[in-house]
Amino acid sequence: MKVGITASKSDDFSEWYTQVVLKAELADYAPVKGLIVLRPDGYSIWESIRTSLDVKLAARGVRNGFLPVLIPESLLGKEKEHFAGFNPEVFWVTHSGENKVGDRLALRPTSETLAYSLYSKWIKSWRDLPLRINFWNTALRAEIKSTKPFLRTSEFLWQEGHTVHACSEEAESEVAAILELYRETVEGDLAIPVITGRKSEKEKFVGAVYTTTMESMMPDGRALQMGTSHFLGQNFSRPFEVKFADKDNVEHFAWQTSWGLSWRLIGAMIMVHGDDKGLVLPPKVAPLQVVIIPISYSGEEGAQVLAAAEGMEAELLKAGIRARTDKREELTPGFKFHDWEMRGVPVRIEIGPRDLKDGSAVLATRHDGKKSKVPLDGAAVNIEEELCRVQTEMLGAAKRALDGMIHDASSYGALTKAVEGGGFVRAAWCGGLECEEKVKEETGADIRVVPEGGAEGACIVCGGRAASIPLFARGY
Amino acid sequence: MKVGITASKSDDFSEWYTQVVLKAELADYAPVKGLIVLRPDGYSIWESIRTSLDVKLAARGVRNGFLPVLIPESLLGKEKEHFAGFNPEVFWVTHSGENKVGDRLALRPTSETLAYSLYSKWIKSWRDLPLRINFWNTALRAEIKSTKPFLRTSEFLWQEGHTVHACSEEAESEVAAILELYRETVEGDLAIPVITGRKSEKEKFVGAVYTTTMESMMPDGRALQMGTSHFLGQNFSRPFEVKFADKDNVEHFAWQTSWGLSWRLIGAMIMVHGDDKGLVLPPKVAPLQVVIIPISYSGEEGAQVLAAAEGMEAELLKAGIRARTDKREELTPGFKFHDWEMRGVPVRIEIGPRDLKDGSAVLATRHDGKKSKVPLDGAAVNIEEELCRVQTEMLGAAKRALDGMIHDASSYGALTKAVEGGGFVRAAWCGGLECEEKVKEETGADIRVVPEGGAEGACIVCGGRAASIPLFARGY
């Protein structure tokens, strides 16, 4: 395997993606087909997402819990429609040691059924509501199709939140608040702009009353679902008897929500920001934000350079910046530049003997390849600002790219043509399943998201009165 | 189910334990026998342990990663002795959806085999060493015997660390350093004193050259293993071909360690510190450190009391203390006292109209039941000191209890009698398996830990020359 990325993002997107994942050492394939392993840099990005979301969730009163991975078949089957949706991809445990287990055990494809069978015991009265618990775990859904790290794997890291409310309005406002908090995380930390709205009836979560979603567009013109927040109404509280006594001691079925996002976000981040040199990491989630490269190692001069590099590293670490000096003597500065560029480190600092003389260093930013001088004195403040600029510019660039990939179509012919070119296509729709399915069948595009707001004019498929203007696209 | 704890710790330890776990809402039973669920307070304690350990591990250069839960049978069987040890308790996946899987898939009982099959790809030269990766996940081992939350469950939260080194000495010093770091976490955060040393050959981890352990003593006289750190030598690097090229480009098999601790620590914490009123939490891991209870709610007076309570809450939160005001109007202060005592909150603050008048509040500490006055002005500083005192005193009390449960036996008869009374029994041993097995068979006691240092005199079983003075005990 060659060291650098040998595929071009524009020529062979799929090969480029795989190379970046493997060579930047974010992940690797596990011995079981469809499963991957996260190496420390990959897991560190997930930890950043988790920490960021945890802070926001805690502020809303959501707390974390733990659920086991094994769910009895009888319990999983309790909500029929839901079960039918997951059944084909469930992993089944049939034996423990030499013994056959009685009821087959499913590996958690999602935990609604397990969580709500417990909630029905835990919730007795209005005093116990709202109940908001989030679970950081993995979901297991057997992928028959080819694996793509972070995007299509049989086990994936995610979080699933499950809340219970006394009234429908509170639950619905929870659904919206969580989606907004997801948007803040994805745009704010991963610098990926999203479009929010609802899924169509056809595309909603099985068992939900409705599903809200945030969608983004990948550079190859295919849409990616970035996270969903579901209003479950009483669809689960009835079969699972999640009931509460109100202040007058009258029993009611509760109103519920569930919501999740997964490591798929890391896949999106790679695709949206990466380039032919490799990964480009937004500073907020970069395991290493600043790499310092001493340019000389020989003699007295080399010692001075190294001392300056280590001095800056200490200053940056003290300021809370994730920084490291690359002291590997057996490698050339040029090799190191390429290596850290491939790994997507947002800021590179070069310190050589000449820089030292005028008390400065060279600062190079990964996302735009620009170089500038930065004074050695008080470098932390400057570099902190620089990291902030990088984060902002990356979101700005991604936003412009997204905007350029949203097209309008006012006829079925225009829709077909636009879908072919990739990106989102905005077109009026009557809301009918038949029209939605016709588009899917003939163009391969789904309704990815139905943004808020009504529509005027006619459905571009059947000519009936338009109910909304969804975004159509081929998706991952 | 009655609200408070109805069993006595001294009379019915097992029933008391279960009641505390369930009624303090740390955990609940899952629908599958042998599995439990963590409720937010239980999971929060685990998060505290994780955070504390993560900081210490990061300082040593250990980074976190992710491994999937499914391991192919062929891979798990690669180290024969290791496999034989786990085989009877492995959960097996045989189907995904309607399809039979080829090679059966084991749910991870531990990840040595999976991790090292990857390490053999990742490690090429001395530059890649040492490699230190830790995984926070769950292990699955089917428990046939009765379940005990946190102590005996078929799936448990733990961390497993796996490191690779260029020489034996470095690996062995890693084993020792990790055990020391475990000890700091358990004694420092959970206030549970431990005894460290090695496991006997019979009790070591299957596949290890030797196992180091930390052991503690529960109030019922049974020992509990609190964490282990294994020196694997080249036992795994040979079958898994974990090799590296040294600076002269000569290939060597690497030296490895693995180590883990689990949520069993939470079980130990409950047993060591709890009392007949319920849980007693060490401040460092308490989800809620201070509960503030306003004593009056009526009229102007009530409003003033509530304002003072909320003012203190804000001050404590600002100081980084986990505090909350219990504003439930429909419950009496007395009920609240009992409720929070059962949940183990370390410090309770009572604010009533009379307290307000002299600018103070009543502070009650859970571990010793003492009450004192604390000035409302600058309460955060006083309470912070109080939390520190509680933490220290809890460790001190547990240390005294442990010391009181270590007995010396200079004859086989004395050993038998001492084991019967519970606790650790220190006795000279020749190091022979036969003597160890005789003790186990006739008294039910294992060698829990062999502390460092040699021994003089004779083995209390066979009369041969003593090699060490292990601690014998019946265990969990």
Side-chain angles (χ1 to χ4, degrees), chain A residues 92-114:
Chain A
W92 293 105
V93 167
T94 55
H95 289 76
S96 79
E98 299 298 314
N99 309 309
K100 208 163 188 257
V101 300
D103 201 5
R104 286 200 302 176
L105 301 173
L107 299 196
R108 159 204 317 123
T110 181
S111 301
E112 274 76 8
T113 57
L114 176 53

Side-chain angles (χ1 to χ4, degrees), chain B residues 236-445:
Chain B
F236 286 87
S237 67
R238 288 178 184 274
F240 287 93
E241 302 197 47
V242 181
K243 291 184 288 193
F244 69 98
D246 66 17
K247 289 188 184 179
D248 300 321
N249 219 20
V250 179
E251 271 207 336
H252 303 272
F253 286 109
W255 300 84
Q256 298 187 260
T257 84
S258 73
W259 27 275
L261 55 72
S262 79
W263 70 14
R264 165 173 277 219
L265 294 181
I266 299 177
M269 181 203 70
I270 296 165
M271 292 193 280
V272 166
H273 300 301
D275 63 21
D276 284 356
K277 290 179 176 174
L279 207 54
V280 181
L281 291 170
K284 286 208 181 157
V285 300
L288 185 65
Q289 296 172 313
V290 178
V291 63
I292 304 165
I293 302 193
I295 302 296
S296 162
Y297 282 103
S298 51
E300 176 66 19
E301 200 180 72
Q304 282 170 0
V305 165
L306 193 62
E310 290 182 333
M312 183 182 285
E313 178 185 314
E315 192 192 332
L316 296 181
L317 289 174
K318 208 178 144 195
I321 296 168
R322 297 185 287 273
R324 195 199 313 165
T325 306
D326 185 347
K327 290 184 264 191
R328 294 175 293 179
E329 290 191 26
E330 70 281 7
L331 302 174
T332 65
F335 179 93
K336 292 180 185 179
F337 290 3
H338 287 296
D339 189 35
W340 294 112
E341 277 171 355
M342 185 182 71
R343 292 167 196 271
V345 178
V347 167
R348 178 181 76 228
I349 300 287
E350 310 161 15
I351 305 184
R354 258 178 305 174
D355 304 307
L356 263 194
K357 262 169 212 150
D358 59 50
S360 69
V362 174
L363 182 154
T365 38
R366 173 68 179 92
H367 74 299
D368 59 5
K370 283 186 188 154
K371 284 191 174 200
S372 59
K373 282 210 161 200
V374 59
L376 288 175
D377 276 352
V381 175
N382 287 319
I383 290 174
E384 206 146 21
E385 255 176 51
E386 201 65 13
L387 290 169
C388 182
R389 177 181 72 84
V390 171
Q391 184 81 31
T392 310
E393 287 187 5
M394 285 180 72
L395 177 61
K399 183 87 180 63
R400 284 190 298 279
L402 171 63
D403 290 344
M405 294 178 89
I406 303 177
H407 314 288
D408 288 295
S410 53
S411 71
Y412 189 71
L415 173 84
T416 317
K417 206 176 149 199
V419 165
E420 206 52 52
F424 285 119
V425 185
R426 210 157 28 192
W429 174 51
C430 62
L433 177 62
E434 225 170 285
C435 294
E436 184 180 6
E437 281 179 337
K438 181 178 154 80
V439 172
K440 172 69 179 174
E441 211 168 285
E442 296 182 357
T443 72

Side-chain angles (χ1 to χ4, degrees), chain B residues 188-204:
Chain B
D189 296 339
L190 296 167
I192 303 174
V194 293
I195 296 167
T196 58
R198 287 198 188 182
K199 284 287 186 191
S200 66
E201 274 296 301
K202 174 173 176 282
E203 299 290 333
K204 75 177 185 188

Side-chain angles (χ1 to χ4, degrees), chain A residues 28 31 37-41 47 63-64 66 68-69 88 90 92-97 114 121-122 127 155 330, chain B residues 28 31 37-41 47 63-64 66 68-69 88 90 92-97 114 121-122 127 155 330:
Chain A
D28 201 351
V37 168
L38 290 206
R39 303 182 70 170
D41 278 348
E47 283 181 316
R63 301 185 69 197
N64 292 329
F66 166 80
V69 70
V90 169
W92 293 105
V93 167
T94 55
H95 289 76
S96 79
L114 176 53
K121 287 169 58 187
W122 297 346
R127 282 186 200 89
E155 182 180 15
E330 70 282 7
Chain B
D28 201 351
V37 167
L38 290 206
R39 302 183 70 170
D41 278 348
E47 283 180 316
R63 301 185 67 197
N64 292 329
F66 166 80
V69 71
V90 169
W92 293 105
V93 167
T94 55
H95 288 76
S96 79
L114 177 53
K121 287 168 59 187
W122 297 346
R127 283 187 199 88
E155 182 181 14
E330 70 281 7

Side-chain angles (χ1 to χ4, degrees), chain A residues 310-325:
Chain A
E310 289 181 334
M312 183 183 284
E313 178 185 315
E315 191 192 331
L316 296 181
L317 289 173
K318 207 177 145 195
I321 297 169
R322 298 186 286 273
R324 195 199 313 165
T325 306

Side-chain angles (χ1 to χ4, degrees), chain A residues 270-331:
Chain A
I270 296 165
M271 292 193 280
V272 166
H273 300 302
D275 63 21
D276 284 356
K277 291 180 176 173
L279 207 54
V280 181
L281 292 169
K284 287 208 180 157
V285 300
L288 185 65
Q289 295 172 314
V290 178
V291 63
I292 304 166
I293 302 193
I295 302 296
S296 162
Y297 282 102
S298 50
E300 175 66 20
E301 199 180 75
Q304 283 170 359
V305 165
L306 193 62
E310 289 181 334
M312 183 183 284
E313 178 185 315
E315 191 192 331
L316 296 181
L317 289 173
K318 207 177 145 195
I321 297 169
R322 298 186 286 273
R324 195 199 313 165
T325 306
D326 184 346
K327 290 183 264 191
R328 295 175 292 179
E329 289 190 26
E330 70 282 7
L331 301 174

